[in-house]
Amino acid sequence: MNSYLIKNVSVLGAAPTDLLLRDGMVAEAGPGLSAPEATVLDATGLVALPGLVDLHTHLREPGREDAETVETGSRAAALGGYTAVCAMANTSPVADTAGVVEQVWRLGREAGLVDVQPIGAVTVGLAGERLAELGAMADSAARVRIFSDDGHCVADPRLMRRALEYVKAFDGIIAQHAEEPRLTEGAQMHEGEVSTRLGLTGWPAVAEEAIIARDVLLAEHVGSRLHVCHLSTAGSVEVLRQAKARGVRVTAEVTPHHLLLTDTRAETYDPVYKVNPPLRTATDIAALRAALVEGVIDIIATDHAPHAVEDKECEWAYARPGMLGLETALSIALEVLGPEWDLIAERMSRTPARIAGLTEHGHDPAPGAPANLTLVDPAARRTIDPAESASRSRNTPYARMTLPGRIVATFLRGEATVLDGKAVK
Ligand SMILES: [Zn+2]
């Protein structure tokens, strides 16, 4: 096992110090450390953060290895500063059995770049008709605690209630893709002034807000944990705020793209901007940012959604929804929040680790903590080139944009997964 002595690093923006990583842990912290056996890294000007944790990643394996594999997605995650990701269940076959979640979990271990925590499907085949083997997935080697039909909404209220009741026994969570399907039939983008002008069928905000309102009532009734995926509207923030004020056990995420990009991007007809839920308005963005700072929205999650070229570079109506996110999330957080390191650590590491029950993650780099951390150069600015992505796909909405911050190094249990801005393996 390697040891690393990180010199002159600012932990979460504090005065520069040294960190010694040994045996998978942060062994020592303080100025002027020495360790003859350790590899020395000069981290002058760099900020250390707890390794980021993504609660919402699509890794596409099994089934669409042409778009992403567990290994390529893990590498993209490490390059983005992540040490753990939760892999969504909409693979092919769907991760709705112990066998498939164990396969994904094992592939993650083999890649060894981040901890891959599988999410199980709520319903068999994501079909929304009958519950999947939630208990078997929870008892499997993958120890699944989060269940989601993401990509589809669990629209049937009786099924949603039963899912919430079922997972309560082991303190599991249902993560809902909130979209009332009858209100979004044929939808191509956010319903509003821009969709009217472009003549595209709209996805109204109320289709999201109605499901969140229903689900917080169901979660309250059952006393279970609900997580809202990719919350995207100002109205959803208000529903969530009221539910939290009543003590409902609900958490919510917002994606980087919903914090930055508006529905006017659809004017380009470039399908790279097609995503579900769709990009919303500047008013929604302002509400989402404020809710994230305030804590009404708990975390940033990427919804990293790689797609093969033929599924994305086609007519808008036929393109699959979704965008890459792992390698740019921290830069977007810096762009949106500024260098608020404690807030970024809270929203991108500590809280997502706590929600997912990933006890080895989300710890600030300090003696005794597992050495899962990332080093950021906050002064760097980089222009995004899709060709440079470690993902197997190229559908980043940030191409040619210049964004703040660069990940210089990432450590998983004390071993470097990224050094000098490059993946180690
Ligand atoms: Zn979704």
Side-chain angles (χ1 to χ4, degrees):
M1 234 183 173
N2 292 311
S3 301
Y4 289 94
L5 180 58
I6 304 169
K7 301 290 287 182
N8 296 316
V9 70
S10 164
V11 177
L12 292 156
T17 188
D18 299 348
L19 294 174
L20 176 62
L21 314 185
R22 187 198 284 146
D23 298 331
M25 309 291 283
V26 179
E28 289 180 61
L33 296 184
S34 68
E37 80 287 3
T39 304
V40 176
L41 301 178
D42 176 11
T44 305
L46 305 186
V47 172
L49 294 175
L52 307 182
V53 176
D54 192 21
L55 213 67
H56 190 150
T57 309
H58 296 276
L59 293 176
R60 302 298 186 217
E61 188 177 6
R64 284 307 300 264
E65 291 83 353
D66 58 326
E68 195 79 288
T69 66
V70 172
E71 185 187 340
T72 59
S74 292
R75 189 170 294 116
L79 285 163
Y82 287 88
T83 53
V85 301
C86 296
M88 273 296 175
N90 64 338
T91 49
S92 178
V94 169
D96 58 4
T97 64
V100 179
V101 293
E102 284 185 348
Q103 178 190 358
V104 172
W105 177 75
R106 228 180 352 258
L107 287 167
R109 300 259 297 197
E110 283 165 19
L113 292 157
V114 293
D115 284 343
V116 174
Q117 175 58 49
I119 291 174
V122 177
T123 68
V124 175
L126 310 175
E129 286 165 5
R130 55 196 174 91
L131 285 189
E133 300 167 6
L134 310 185
M137 289 188 272
D139 290 341
S140 74
R143 296 188 56 76
V144 176
R145 287 294 176 275
I146 304 177
F147 298 88
S148 182
D149 274 4
D150 183 56
H152 301 268
C153 183
V154 181
D156 179 341
R158 193 168 73 122
L159 206 53
M160 185 64 181
R161 174 189 176 165
R162 286 187 51 216
L164 286 163
E165 284 171 344
Y166 198 100
V167 300
K168 192 181 175 186
F170 47 86
D171 206 30
I173 303 172
I174 303 297
Q176 176 73 293
H177 170 117
E179 174 183 0
E180 168 47 58
R182 294 281 286 151
L183 292 174
T184 61
E185 281 172 21
Q188 293 292 330
M189 63 172 295
H190 172 66
E191 180 183 292
E193 183 259 319
V194 182
S195 68
T196 304
R197 182 152 38 83
L198 298 180
L200 292 173
T201 306
W203 197 129
V206 69
E208 175 174 300
E209 294 151 8
I211 291 291
I212 298 175
R214 181 201 77 175
D215 285 354
V216 294
L217 292 171
L218 285 172
E220 184 173 28
H221 180 65
V222 173
S224 281
R225 293 169 72 193
L226 170 72
H227 179 75
V228 183
C229 296
H230 43 50
L231 185 140
S232 70
T233 79
S236 295
V237 169
E238 289 316 306
V239 174
L240 186 66
R241 188 194 306 280
Q242 291 172 24
K244 285 191 162 187
R246 286 203 311 279
V248 179
R249 301 174 77 199
V250 59
T251 52
E253 69 192 33
V254 63
T255 69
H257 46 272
H258 287 114
L259 290 169
L260 191 71
L261 306 174
T262 67
D263 61 340
T264 57
R265 297 272 168 167
E267 292 166 355
T268 65
Y269 289 103
D270 183 343
V272 80
Y273 300 116
K274 184 172 174 180
V275 64
N276 189 11
L279 299 175
R280 304 290 187 183
T281 68
T283 306
D284 294 302
I285 286 181
L288 295 170
R289 289 182 179 190
L292 185 67
V293 171
E294 197 185 339
V296 172
I297 294 175
D298 301 83
I299 63 169
I300 296 175
T302 68
D303 194 6
H304 177 82
H307 285 299
V309 169
E310 66 270 24
D311 291 326
K312 223 34 190 168
E313 293 181 11
C314 53
E315 264 185 70
W316 180 283
Y318 301 112
R320 300 262 183 108
M323 308 171 162
L324 300 186
L326 288 169
E327 290 170 88
T328 45
L330 185 75
S331 289
I332 304 299
L334 280 168
E335 178 83 10
V336 167
L337 300 172
E340 297 288 337
W341 301 111
D342 192 68
L343 182 64
I344 288 171
E346 193 65 29
R347 300 285 179 262
M348 298 184 78
S349 176
R350 297 180 203 133
T351 308
R354 197 158 53 235
I355 293 170
L358 298 172
T359 53
E360 283 195 14
H361 295 272
H363 300 280
D364 291 353
N372 298 318
L373 63 147
T374 190
L375 306 182
V376 189
D377 180 357
R381 293 188 69 80
R382 61 193 178 121
T383 301
I384 304 302
D385 177 357
E388 288 176 358
S389 176
S391 168
R392 195 160 274 184
S393 294
R394 294 289 171 262
N395 53 308
T396 173
Y398 311 112
R400 297 173 301 284
M401 283 176 69
T402 300
L403 297 171
R406 187 175 79 97
I407 301 295
V408 176
T410 307
F411 299 89
L412 177 65
R413 282 182 282 281
E415 294 291 348
T417 55
V418 173
L419 279 178
D420 214 6
K422 295 181 181 65
V424 170
K425 61 175 180 176

